[in-house]
Amino acid sequence: MRRGLRRLASRVRGKISAEIYVVLGAYFFGDAAEATHMNPIKQFFAKLDLFKGGHEAGSVVGVDIGSSSIKVVELRKKGGRAELVTYGTLSLGPYGGADIGEITNLSVEQISKALTDVIRESGVTTRSGAVAIPSAASLVFVLELPAVIDEKQLGAIVPTEARKYIPVPITEVSLDFWVIPKKEESIVEGDTTTLGQASVAKTEVLVAAIHNDTITKYKDIVGKTDLSVSFFEIETFSGVRSNFNRELGTVLLVDFGASKTKLTIIEYGIVRSFHIVTRGSVDITRALSQSLSIPFARAEEIKREFGLFGSGTDKNVAEICKLSADYIISETKSVMYSHEKKYNKTINKVILSGGGSLLKGFFEAAKDAFSAEVTLGNPYSKVHVPGYIEGVLRETGPEFSVAVGLALRELGA
């Protein structure tokens, strides 16, 4: 397990949120409280106060339960700014009898045990927190409705229209939505920007849905620990929150995870579309293991050590890693092209996030492949951290984007 700060003193080793406008869009479009539209299908959301402000005092912990590891980040507010208390990550493989880095399918009890362990070993001091829901267990999409529809009617209309996108009965999911502004003044004086293809004839609605079984599972996981969770949030929105710094224009956030790569297109702080590429960093490890006839654990070590740069003793390493990396980049370029063609807008920035983005050579490959500006996500840019640890956090930060984003929302920072 890798752990971070221990009370900032130890050495370093190692709403479903249709509310996205409140967190990001309000920077550009005015008062968040007035702009947020919450539908009457409150159910689970109302109980968790998804549209409530941040934590008043003390510290909070963001929990990101992934397919191969759990990440936690504890923040506190000091002097009006978020400050890092501690962080840590724990591989889930050993809890299911698998190697470190392997994809797992653990029981609620096993995940709860791992969560308890990472909280203890990371030195997390608070029991107040928030938990991410995997994007793969949710749906995020945009509905286009006639502009003549009164917003008061959306509570009845959206669930009916959403059935076209949701492959299970609407009664089996928890649904939330938010109306996307049609046209607003941009930050650049005198410039008026239309988001997407929204026009006078259409009202666009961002919809988020999670299967009720997923919500029940995560509530059960938390219930077997001593955490007090105030909300759950789809990981997409947490990652956007931590990696965005009021970027203008259209931006693509690439979350290169263990089992999947999540692509989120954002325009002026508003999520416009979401896509999943069914390939992740574990696919590279498995390819190395099979091609070189070596154990998974050894393949994971080689991947981390050499990546796309390859090994001097085995030139096949770079080529094997490159196959999966090229597939992800190719699929990403396809999504970018489709969005640009549909909306006649250029994606001018790509932000790389997730643990897979730390693969050696991937950043360079992305820069060569995309015509847009490419940057490595830095979720700690909104957090005060001790000077002696800044270098480490810049190198490992993308892996903790979701956990940081959760904690930032809980703090109201």
Side-chain angles (χ1 to χ4, degrees), residues 15-18 39 41 43-45 50 133-143 158-159 161-178 205-215 233-237 274:
K15 199 168 176 129
I16 292 176
S17 190
N39 68 23
I41 310 175
Q43 299 176 4
F44 174 72
F45 311 103
L50 292 182
I133 298 290
S135 297
S138 61
L139 282 175
V140 178
F141 53 92
V142 175
L143 285 177
V158 169
E161 293 297 315
R163 290 175 182 174
K164 301 174 184 177
Y165 298 82
I166 300 173
V168 298
I170 199 71
T171 55
E172 295 182 10
V173 302
S174 291
L175 193 72
D176 210 348
F177 65 86
W178 171 75
V205 181
L206 178 66
V207 182
I210 296 180
H211 201 288
N212 292 331
D213 289 347
T214 299
I215 295 174
E233 179 175 70
I234 297 175
E235 62 178 337
T236 302
F237 300 121
F274 174 76

Side-chain angles (χ1 to χ4, degrees), residues 31 42 116 151 181 204 226 244-245 257 261 305 350 377 387 394:
D31 185 75
K42 295 184 178 179
T116 299
E151 285 197 18
E204 292 185 307
D226 59 355
F244 257 61
N245 288 293
T261 300
E305 184 176 359
V350 177
R394 274 196 297 270

Side-chain angles (χ1 to χ4, degrees), residues 41 123 176-177 190 192 244 246 251 267 289 331 355 363 378 383 398:
I41 310 175
D176 210 348
F177 65 86
T192 300
F244 257 61
R246 304 191 182 191
V251 180
E267 290 183 10
S289 176
E331 290 296 299
F363 176 77
N378 180 18
V383 179

Side-chain angles (χ1 to χ4, degrees), residues 41-345:
I41 310 175
K42 295 184 178 179
Q43 299 176 4
F44 174 72
F45 311 103
K47 298 176 183 177
L48 294 180
D49 294 326
L50 292 182
F51 290 86
K52 191 176 180 179
H55 200 265
E56 291 297 325
S59 59
V60 297
V61 60
V63 178
D64 176 17
I65 303 173
S67 56
S68 68
S69 65
I70 297 180
K71 276 81 67 177
V72 295
V73 173
E74 181 180 1
L75 303 179
R76 65 186 173 197
K77 187 176 286 188
K78 186 175 182 181
R81 186 180 182 187
E83 181 179 72
L84 180 63
V85 178
T86 189
Y87 70 96
T89 180
L90 178 67
S91 177
L92 292 174
Y95 288 83
D99 290 315
I100 291 175
E102 268 281 28
I103 301 298
T104 61
N105 184 22
L106 303 180
S107 67
V108 167
E109 290 73 18
Q110 289 171 315
I111 297 175
S112 296
K113 174 65 166 61
L115 178 54
T116 299
D117 289 347
V118 71
I119 287 173
R120 182 186 63 250
E121 294 301 320
S122 299
V124 172
T125 60
T126 184
R127 293 300 174 261
S128 175
V131 177
I133 298 290
S135 297
S138 61
L139 282 175
V140 178
F141 53 92
V142 175
L143 285 177
E144 286 192 353
L145 302 173
V148 294
I149 295 176
D150 191 299
E151 285 197 18
K152 295 178 181 178
Q153 299 176 292
L154 292 178
I157 294 174
V158 169
T160 301
E161 293 297 315
R163 290 175 182 174
K164 301 174 184 177
Y165 298 82
I166 300 173
V168 298
I170 199 71
T171 55
E172 295 182 10
V173 302
S174 291
L175 193 72
D176 210 348
F177 65 86
W178 171 75
V179 178
I180 298 175
K182 294 175 184 175
K183 180 183 284 189
E184 297 289 343
E185 291 294 325
S186 74
I187 295 301
V188 181
E189 185 177 356
D191 177 38
T192 300
T193 304
T194 300
L195 298 179
Q197 287 185 321
S199 66
V200 177
K202 295 290 184 180
T203 292
E204 292 185 307
V205 181
L206 178 66
V207 182
I210 296 180
H211 201 288
N212 292 331
D213 289 347
T214 299
I215 295 174
T216 299
K217 174 185 175 181
Y218 278 82
K219 289 177 69 176
D220 288 345
I221 290 171
V222 173
K224 295 181 183 300
T225 70
D226 59 355
L227 280 181
S228 174
V229 173
S230 60
F231 69 88
F232 295 87
E233 179 175 70
I234 297 175
E235 62 178 337
T236 302
F237 300 121
S238 306
V240 171
R241 184 181 300 110
S242 64
N243 282 294
F244 257 61
N245 288 293
R246 304 191 182 191
E247 278 84 358
L248 297 175
T250 306
V251 180
L252 171 65
L253 177 64
V254 179
D255 183 356
F256 189 176
S259 61
K260 298 176 179 64
T261 300
K262 284 82 70 177
L263 309 177
T264 308
I265 296 176
I266 307 102
E267 290 183 10
Y268 295 88
I270 296 175
V271 172
R272 297 292 309 180
S273 63
F274 174 76
H275 308 268
I276 290 180
V277 179
T278 56
R279 195 73 62 89
S281 62
V282 168
D283 292 287
I284 297 176
T285 307
R286 289 174 178 167
L288 285 170
S289 176
Q290 294 169 6
S291 299
L292 302 179
S293 299
I294 57 177
F296 180 92
R298 177 55 184 154
E300 180 72 9
E301 292 174 358
I302 291 175
K303 179 188 74 175
R304 291 176 179 272
E305 184 176 359
F306 300 108
L308 300 182
F309 292 146
S311 167
T313 58
D314 192 337
K315 303 198 181 294
N316 290 326
V317 169
E319 288 303 314
I320 296 169
C321 292
K322 192 172 181 292
L323 287 175
S324 289
D326 283 351
Y327 178 84
I328 292 170
I329 289 174
S330 175
E331 290 296 299
T332 302
K333 290 178 69 175
S334 177
V335 168
M336 293 174 68
Y337 174 76
S338 296
H339 184 88
E340 291 175 339
K341 183 178 180 181
K342 179 178 180 180
Y343 293 100
N344 193 29
K345 286 179 176 290

